[in-house]
Amino acid sequence: MKNLKTPSNFNVTATNFLFIFNGITWDATPISGAKTYDGPSVNFRVLKPPQTAFAQDIKQISYPDKCDLKQLHLVTRHGSRYPDPDSITIYDEFEKIFANVSVAKDWYKNPFPMRKNFQLVKRGEIEPYFDGLQSRKRYAKFWDGVKYDPEVVKTGASMMAFSEGLFNGKGSLDNCKSQPIFYWNEPFNKDDTLVMFLACRRWNETVATNNKILEEQIYAYGNKTIAPIAKRISEEYNISPPLDPHLVPNIFNYCQFSLTVYNRTDAWCSLLSPKELLLSRYYWDLYSYHQFSYGHPLNERIACRYFTQLVKGVEDYLNGNSSMIADLKNTHGTSISMILTTLVADLTFEQIKKVKFTEFRLIHWSSTIYFEIYKCSGDNVLIRALLDFKPFLIPGCDSEYCEWNKFKEILGDKIGCDFEKMCAYP
C-alpha cells in the first residue's frame, strides 16, 4: 500500500461557513523539444478537462419547487500531483532499460525527484482554487451572508486553495481581503471517516493483501493482454533482456504524469498506441475495482462512518442542535471511490440504466462530491448528490432529488455501524 497524505476537514456554521485549496493561472510549459501528440484521443482519467477544471462562466443552480438549500456536504480530492514513491523508484528501472533506446534519448531519464513525491504540481495548486470559485458562483444564494467562523471551519492543503477561491475578497486581510482559516487533520492510519481503508485491519489483511481473486485476475490479464505489449516493445526497440510485462502498466503512469507535470505527450505516451494505453490503464482499473470498489464486499460498507457522520450532521442541523451549514473534506481518490461504493443498493435493471457514474471515467484530480440538503414545504427533506457538479442518481432513489428517509433506508445499518467490529481481524 502506497503512503498517503493525511486528509483534512473543515466546517461552516449558520453564522454561515465552509472550506478550500490555492491558485494562480496555470502556465504549463512543455519541455524543450516536446511535440504535440496527434494520435486518437485517450482518456487520461486523472486530469479533469480544462474546460471543466478552470471554467468561470458558472450558472447559479435553481432549487426544487418550494425548497430551500439548507446544508452542503463536500468531499474533494486533492489536486494534480507528482508521482508516488513507488512510481518514482520504478522509473529508475526504466531509465536503465531505455538508456540505449534511440527514440528515448531525450526523455528516458527520471525527471521526478523523490523529494517531490506526492507534492502538488502548479496545476494541482490551482484546480482546488477554481473548485472554490465555482462553488461560490454555483451556490451564490447559499453562500451569500455566510461568514467564516474559525471555531467550526476546518481544512488542509488542497483545502487552502479551495478556501481562497470560496472566500476570495470576502475576508479581512490586506487589499486582497484574504480570509485566514483553521483546519484539522486526523492521523491517516486512524481516520475511519476519510481514509477508512487504512484504519481497517480486516481490509489491509484481506483486500489490500491476500486477495486471491485480484491475484487471479491480474495474472490472467497480464498473460493475455500485457505480455504481448511487452513483447512488441522489446522487439520494436531491441530491448535486451526483454521488457518485464509487470513494468508495462507503469508506462501508462509515466505518460499521464508527463502530461500532468510537463504538458508533454510525446515521450512515454509515444511507446504505446492509444489502444495499448487504454489496455494498460485497465490493469490499474482491475486493482482499483478489487481493492477500492465493488470487487470485495467489505468495500460496500467500509465508508459507513462517513455516512453516519453525514446523517448526524444533517439531522442535528435541521433539528436545531448544530449551526454547521457546510462540512468540507479533502481526501484521496480511493476514499471517494469507497464512499461511492458504500452508497449502493439492490437495483432493478431500469434503475441500473439510469446510473451514469463509472469510477475510472469520472474521478479526476480535484474531483468533488457534493451532497445538497434541501428543506421543502411540509417539512419534507431532500438530498441530491453531484460528482464534479453533475447530478447522479443515488442508487435506489427514484430521482436525483431523493427523499431523505429513502436515502437513510438505502444506507440501512451502515448508519451507526460498528467500524471496530467490522474491521477486527482475525
Side-chain angles (χ1 to χ4, degrees):
M1 176 54 55
K2 297 170 182 175
N3 294 323
L4 297 176
K5 298 296 184 183
T6 304
S8 51
N9 307 260
F10 112 69
N11 308 92
V12 188
T13 58
T15 18
N16 294 345
F17 194 86
L18 182 85
F19 89 94
I20 302 150
F21 226 44
N22 78 348
I24 5 177
T25 304
W26 180 44
D27 177 20
T29 305
I31 294 175
S32 176
K35 302 174 183 177
T36 301
Y37 178 75
D38 57 2
S41 63
V42 176
N43 177 25
F44 293 94
R45 68 177 176 85
V46 294
L47 278 180
K48 189 184 293 186
Q51 63 269 28
T52 301
F54 308 118
Q56 298 188 60
D57 183 18
I58 304 297
K59 294 182 179 179
Q60 184 173 338
I61 68 165
S62 57
Y63 296 174
D65 188 39
K66 298 180 180 179
C67 296
D68 192 24
L69 180 61
K70 291 295 186 181
Q71 197 178 51
L72 284 176
H73 290 255
L74 167 65
V75 180
T76 181
R77 187 184 186 184
H78 57 74
S80 303
R81 60 164 175 81
Y82 282 91
D84 56 85
D86 290 346
S87 295
I88 294 174
T89 298
I90 294 173
Y91 205 129
D92 290 336
E93 293 186 48
F94 276 94
E95 185 174 307
K96 296 174 184 176
I97 293 169
F98 284 86
N100 297 316
V101 175
S102 59
V103 71
K105 61 182 171 59
D106 293 329
W107 46 261
Y108 74 92
K109 290 187 177 181
N110 189 348
F112 303 114
M114 186 61 75
R115 71 178 186 278
K116 292 277 192 178
N117 77 85
F118 272 128
Q119 293 186 22
L120 299 180
V121 300
K122 183 180 288 188
R123 173 181 170 130
E125 295 175 343
I126 299 164
E127 288 162 334
Y129 173 74
F130 275 85
D131 285 341
L133 288 175
Q134 292 170 4
S135 182
R136 187 89 203 183
K137 294 180 178 180
R138 197 175 304 274
Y139 298 110
K141 181 180 177 181
F142 178 84
W143 289 121
D144 282 351
V146 172
K147 296 181 180 179
Y148 180 78
D149 183 341
E151 294 301 318
V152 294
V153 180
K154 309 174 180 73
T155 185
S158 283
M159 303 316 268
M160 293 293 295
F162 185 96
S163 58
E164 283 293 325
L166 184 62
F167 297 112
N168 188 20
K170 305 294 183 180
S172 58
L173 298 183
D174 205 13
N175 295 332
C176 295
K177 299 295 183 182
S178 297
Q179 173 64 62
I181 62 171
F182 170 79
Y183 67 89
W184 62 278
N185 299 313
E186 293 281 357
F188 73 89
N189 60 342
K190 297 184 182 300
D191 186 350
D192 55 20
T193 302
L194 291 181
V195 196
M196 60 294 286
F197 48 98
L198 293 185
C200 183
R201 185 177 178 188
R202 180 174 295 277
W203 183 88
N204 282 276
E205 297 291 342
T206 64
V207 183
T209 59
N210 305 311
N211 192 328
K212 299 302 180 184
I213 296 177
L214 171 59
E215 291 170 4
E216 291 170 0
Q217 292 280 314
I218 291 295
Y219 181 79
Y221 187 74
N223 281 334
K224 181 179 179 180
T225 304
I226 300 300
I229 298 175
K231 181 180 179 182
R232 195 270 303 165
I233 293 174
S234 298
E235 292 176 350
E236 182 172 342
Y237 298 107
N238 298 313
I239 296 174
S240 182
L243 182 64
D244 184 344
H246 289 93
L247 295 175
V248 170
N250 288 283
I251 296 177
F252 170 79
N253 275 353
Y254 302 140
C255 173
Q256 66 180 4
F257 278 115
S258 294
L259 174 63
T260 299
V261 180
Y262 299 112
N263 197 28
R264 181 171 187 168
T265 56
D266 67 316
W268 293 101
C269 300
S270 68
L271 295 179
L272 300 175
S273 69
K275 179 180 179 180
E276 289 172 334
L277 280 167
L278 289 175
L279 292 174
S280 298
R281 189 199 72 183
Y282 186 70
Y283 175 91
W284 300 116
D285 290 347
L286 283 173
Y287 267 104
S288 295
Y289 175 79
H290 286 280
Q291 290 190 333
F292 302 106
S293 190
Y294 300 107
H296 196 286
L298 180 58
N299 295 336
E300 296 183 14
R301 297 187 61 82
I302 199 166
C304 61
R305 279 281 173 88
Y306 171 79
F307 285 107
T308 297
Q309 184 184 82
L310 184 149
V311 169
K312 185 177 187 305
V314 171
E315 298 195 334
D316 281 352
Y317 179 73
L318 295 179
N319 293 330
N321 297 322
S322 168
S323 58
M324 184 194 74
I325 66 165
D327 184 8
L328 310 174
K329 303 180 185 297
N330 177 252
T331 188
H332 303 278
T334 47
S335 303
I336 290 177
S337 174
M338 287 184 152
I339 287 171
L340 292 169
T341 300
T342 300
L343 191 61
V344 68
D346 293 328
L347 306 181
T348 65
F349 179 68
E350 290 304 314
Q351 288 173 320
I352 290 173
K353 288 195 297 184
K354 295 178 183 178
V355 177
K356 299 178 180 179
F357 169 75
T358 54
E359 177 194 353
F360 289 99
R361 288 178 60 86
L362 295 179
I363 296 181
H364 312 286
W365 301 126
S366 199
S367 276
T368 59
I369 302 177
Y370 277 93
F371 290 99
E372 302 170 346
I373 309 299
Y374 292 91
K375 184 76 175 290
C376 307
S377 60
D379 288 333
N380 191 28
V381 178
L382 303 177
I383 182 171
R384 183 170 75 147
L386 303 92
L387 181 63
D388 288 334
F389 294 117
K390 294 181 180 179
F392 67 89
L393 181 70
I394 295 173
C397 294
D398 297 326
S399 72
E400 67 182 62
Y401 294 99
C402 187
E403 295 281 346
W404 178 246
N405 287 335
K406 179 65 175 179
F407 175 73
K408 292 196 296 180
E409 177 186 322
I410 291 167
L411 289 173
D413 64 358
K414 295 172 187 176
I415 303 172
C417 65
D418 189 335
F419 188 87
E420 287 75 18
K421 182 178 179 180
M422 176 179 69
C423 290
Y425 185 86

